[in-house]
Amino acid sequence: MNGGGLVALLAFLQAIWGDTDSAVLIPSVLRGMMLLVIGLLRAGLATIFRFHASFAITEYKAHWKLLQITYFACWYLSLACFVMGASIVIYGAWKIVM
C-alpha cells in the first residue's frame, strides 16, 4: 500500500511541480510522501521481525512473544502511516478547494 501510494504521489508531485496555482498543495504532498516512506520502512521491519519470531518459536526461545508483538506493531504502524499520509494530501487538497 505504502509503495503504491508513494509512486502515485511522486507522479502527482511531478504533475503539479511547475503549476503556481497548485504550489500550496506541494507541502502536503511531501508530508504525505514522508509518511508513506516511513510506513514502507515499517512494513519491511515487520517482515524481518516475523522471520525472527518464526525461528524463535521453532527453537523454543522465550523471546518469541516479544518478536511477535513487535511484528504486529510494525504492521499496524505501517497501516497508520498509509492512512495519515493519504489524509494529509486529501486535507491539503480540501483546503485549496474550500
Side-chain angles (χ1 to χ4, degrees):
M1 286 186 303
N2 288 305
L6 184 60
V7 170
L9 285 181
L10 278 170
F12 181 66
L13 182 65
Q14 186 255 343
I16 66 170
W17 190 261
D19 188 14
T20 55
D21 295 334
S22 301
V24 179
L25 188 57
I26 291 174
S28 294
V29 172
L30 292 174
R31 286 185 196 105
M33 288 172 55
M34 179 187 64
L35 281 169
L36 292 176
V37 167
I38 292 170
L40 193 58
L41 290 173
R42 286 182 177 159
L45 285 174
T47 304
I48 292 170
F49 286 127
R50 182 185 56 139
F51 179 76
H52 285 291
S54 67
F55 276 117
I57 289 171
T58 58
E59 295 175 2
Y60 303 106
K61 293 187 178 178
H63 68 283
W64 73 270
K65 191 67 174 173
L66 176 64
L67 289 168
Q68 184 183 37
I69 290 169
T70 308
Y71 157 68
F72 283 120
C74 282
W75 274 121
Y76 287 125
L77 289 171
S78 176
L79 181 61
C81 282
F82 176 77
V83 171
M84 289 186 300
S87 298
I88 285 173
V89 175
I90 292 169
Y91 177 72
W94 188 265
K95 281 182 16 180
I96 291 173
V97 173
M98 295 309 208

